[in-house]
Amino acid sequence: MNILFVASELFPYVKVGGLGDVMAALPRAIRAQGADARLLLPAYPALLSSVGIHGETAVFPDLMGGGPARILRADAPGLPLYLLDQPAFFHRPGGPYDHPQDLARRFAALCWAAAHLGRAGDSAGWQPSILHGHDWPAGLMPAYVAYGDGPRPATVLTIHNIAFQGRFPASMLEDLRLPNRSFTPEGVEFQGDINFLKAGLSLADRISTVSPTYAREIQADGGHGLESLLAKRNGTLRGILNGVDHGIWNPAKDPHLVSHYDLKHPSRRAANRPDFQARLGLHEDPDAPIFATVSRLDVLKGLDLVLENVDHLVARGAQLALLGQGDPLIETAFRQVAARYPGRVAAFIGYDEALAHKAFAACDVILVPSRQEPCGLTQLYAQGYGAIPLVRRTGGLADTVVGVSPETLENGTATGFQFGEANGWVLGEAINRALDLFHDPIAWRQVQRRGMMAEFGWEGPARAYIEMYASIPGILALPQSHPPSNFRLTIDD
Ligand code: ADP
Ligand code: GLC
């Protein structure tokens, strides 16, 4: 089974959030099960300077008005890559979603390149039978496949966050090389616009998202306008939980920690605490419980609820650390509370991979109060590192944290704290429950140990993805031979 992933992020080269982590782990986990998964990405400078390049496999005089482009064959350790090298679109400073003036055209170019590889294969004769896109940047890939001619690969689209859909004016139809007949409710049209994510969700053979609870929520009232489409496609929609890459997230070997530890040597964890406190400018108080958040600063992450609880946390003797960047208003609000409580509240505004690892190894509670959370990875990393997650009961957070209650403490299944309604007072109550347990060291250690024992590897999820691919009718019937070299992807109305 040959699968080509199509995405816009790949840890450690280009990462904005969890998508980068998943793209680094999932195709490798699928390869470990014997299927040939590869990954197509834009040729960002950070990739071109770090991965091995093995020559080009396709050349385009112009793609989506961005000038000459080519597809390079490359590889990262253990993962074959294809890179869409189009300097006008991708050789620029900034993050993958900056430069709004050509956002639609450059991800359309990526989708076009994917459809080309899906139909023509690469110059070495490798041909994907499945194209598997991720999030809105890959949304037009199923459209180019569906509206193109000739034998076609199967298509899959995974939603990592339905809040980002890639909506652009209908006047771009021709610029994006979409035929007029695609502009219908069954195709790329949504409320009069072109909607990349919606296009993919309508046209892909299978669709999935990153947790079972989120799969239900987006069909009910959490679908950001796409609820009824998803409910209609219910039979092809799956919720498959993300995993943890234990090669990178392992406190026994993590190069970012000053002291390694594991279930057999839990006391060695404590030495990570003063290091983290010193780096963040928190008082090196050995007894204060440390609450932390490692997050993109976005309204859906619910951090306003944490802001409402800062006085409460400080009054109860806790410390609070934030690592995050994003919405300037949320950044300013955290800077202000940090200035109000020097040594007790700290805000690191920015992105720092090493500091994130240190946070999970040093803190007592990781707060994830998201209003919506498709899966969430920080609550998983926290558990493996002995920090106890406190989460809102939504999406993947509901699926991966067993809330503390008299019953779960009794039967030893509790791994964290949960709260329901998204308001500051309800979060405050959950914080109180966490602080009460913190002062009961035996119960605390039990919850901590249970979290460290939790199995969130990628093997099970990789198997679930392979089963989903195998459920597509005719997948094995697709031609595997190399098509003629003069092959062109043509779309005519
Ligand atoms: P999302 O993808 O919505 O941002 P996830 O929980 O799935 O949420 O993934 C977030 C990822 O980004 C995790 O790997 C987390 O450690 C990392 N991360 C978020 N903010 C920062 C930051 N400021 N510094 C370092 N890592 C961060
Ligand atoms: C998204 C979601 C997050 C998920 C990640 C990886 O960015 O917001 O919940 O864990 O993708 O799938």
Side-chain angles (χ1 to χ4, degrees):
M1 195 183 272
N2 291 351
I3 307 122
L4 181 66
F5 276 54
V6 185
S8 49
E9 298 181 29
L10 173 64
F11 172 84
Y13 314 102
V14 188
K15 168 173 161 180
V16 174
L19 179 65
D21 292 8
V22 175
M23 289 307 103
L26 175 58
R28 288 182 169 107
I30 288 176
R31 292 180 69 77
Q33 311 241 345
D36 190 351
R38 305 183 180 193
L39 173 57
L40 168 70
L41 293 150
Y44 301 115
L47 274 161
L48 286 173
S49 60
S50 318
V51 302
I53 309 283
H54 309 303
E56 64 189 27
T57 190
V59 186
F60 308 92
D62 175 67
L63 266 188
M64 309 297 162
R70 55 193 186 144
I71 302 176
L72 303 173
R73 281 195 297 122
D75 71 306
L79 180 60
L81 301 176
Y82 295 93
L83 302 179
L84 175 61
D85 189 28
Q86 193 171 17
F89 279 166
F90 300 115
H91 292 196
R92 292 186 292 208
Y97 314 111
D98 292 345
H99 307 292
Q101 70 280 9
D102 51 38
L103 192 62
R105 289 187 295 121
R106 68 180 190 266
F107 285 120
L110 180 72
C111 293
W112 187 274
H116 173 87
L117 281 172
R119 289 180 181 276
D122 76 3
S123 55
W126 188 80
Q127 170 118 34
S129 46
I130 297 144
L131 297 178
H132 184 169
H134 296 269
D135 265 352
W136 78 264
L140 288 191
M141 173 274 288
Y144 293 136
V145 170
Y147 298 113
D149 304 322
R152 44 156 294 191
T155 54
V156 176
L157 189 68
T158 295
I159 306 164
H160 294 262
N161 196 332
I162 204 161
F164 301 106
Q165 299 185 0
R167 270 179 85 153
F168 303 97
S171 56
M172 292 192 75
L173 209 61
E174 204 181 317
D175 289 347
L176 301 179
R177 296 201 201 171
L178 289 165
N180 288 334
R181 72 191 150 93
S182 71
F183 197 68
T184 67
E186 292 71 42
V188 307
E189 188 271 344
F190 181 71
Q191 297 175 347
D193 288 335
I194 299 166
N195 181 320
F196 278 42
L197 186 70
K198 187 260 168 172
L201 295 176
S202 297
L203 298 165
D205 296 302
R206 289 289 179 276
I207 54 185
S208 77
T209 189
V210 288
S211 70
T213 296
Y214 194 63
R216 283 193 297 278
E217 289 171 352
I218 57 179
Q219 297 176 62
D221 57 4
H224 295 257
L226 300 180
E227 292 84 355
S228 58
L229 164 69
L230 290 164
K232 233 181 353 210
R233 299 221 62 198
N234 174 285
T236 58
L237 170 64
R238 298 186 187 205
I240 304 173
L241 270 179
N242 289 330
V244 171
D245 184 339
H246 292 298
I248 291 169
W249 294 97
N250 177 356
K253 295 193 181 136
D254 189 329
H256 302 301
L257 308 190
V258 294
S259 174
H260 292 146
Y261 59 98
D262 55 25
L263 271 170
K264 283 201 199 113
H265 309 96
S267 59
R268 295 181 188 166
R269 181 174 193 268
N272 291 295
R273 200 182 149 90
D275 171 51
F276 179 75
Q277 285 169 316
R279 277 167 202 270
L280 268 279
L282 291 168
H283 294 149
E284 284 184 37
D285 178 343
D287 300 318
I290 311 177
F291 286 65
T293 282
V294 179
S295 182
R296 284 185 299 112
L297 303 183
D298 175 290
V299 176
L300 287 177
K301 294 289 182 185
L303 297 171
D304 50 314
L305 309 181
V306 175
L307 286 165
E308 282 183 49
N309 275 284
V310 172
D311 296 340
H312 175 61
L313 279 163
V314 171
R316 289 214 50 187
Q319 297 187 343
L320 173 67
L322 167 93
L323 267 73
Q325 65 177 7
D327 185 329
L329 289 176
I330 309 177
E331 290 183 353
T332 305
F334 272 99
R335 279 202 182 97
Q336 284 169 347
V337 289
R340 211 162 77 224
Y341 292 114
R344 304 218 64 98
V345 177
F348 174 89
I349 305 296
Y351 184 91
D352 188 324
E353 197 67 33
L355 206 51
H357 285 245
K358 288 176 185 297
F360 296 117
C363 298
D364 299 295
V365 178
I366 293 291
L367 293 166
V368 197
S370 310
R371 293 197 148 73
Q372 272 200 308
E373 194 61 75
C375 178
L377 295 172
T378 61
Q379 83 282 10
L380 304 181
Y381 300 154
Q383 286 178 55
Y385 276 58
I388 298 185
L390 189 167
V391 305
R392 198 171 93 74
R393 201 179 306 109
T394 183
L397 302 174
D399 294 337
T400 56
V401 174
V402 180
V404 164
S405 70
E407 193 198 344
T408 58
L409 279 180
E410 173 72 30
N411 65 23
T413 56
T415 57
F417 304 94
Q418 289 198 347
F419 68 102
E421 200 180 323
N423 79 49
W425 190 81
V426 179
L427 171 59
E429 278 205 324
I431 288 173
N432 284 341
R433 280 185 273 126
L435 287 167
D436 292 346
L437 198 80
F438 184 77
H439 295 296
D440 177 352
I442 293 177
W444 187 267
R445 263 186 237 116
Q446 179 199 312
V447 177
Q448 201 179 26
R449 282 183 68 81
R450 184 69 193 200
M452 290 179 78
M453 283 159 58
E455 287 287 336
F456 290 115
W458 271 106
E459 207 184 304
R463 262 201 306 273
Y465 279 100
I466 291 172
E467 275 168 29
M468 172 168 68
Y469 303 144
S471 75
I472 304 173
I475 189 76
L476 300 172
L478 284 165
Q480 295 294 319
S481 60
H482 191 49
S485 59
N486 63 355
F487 175 88
R488 287 282 176 278
L489 183 69
T490 53
I491 295 186
D492 298 310
D493 210 5

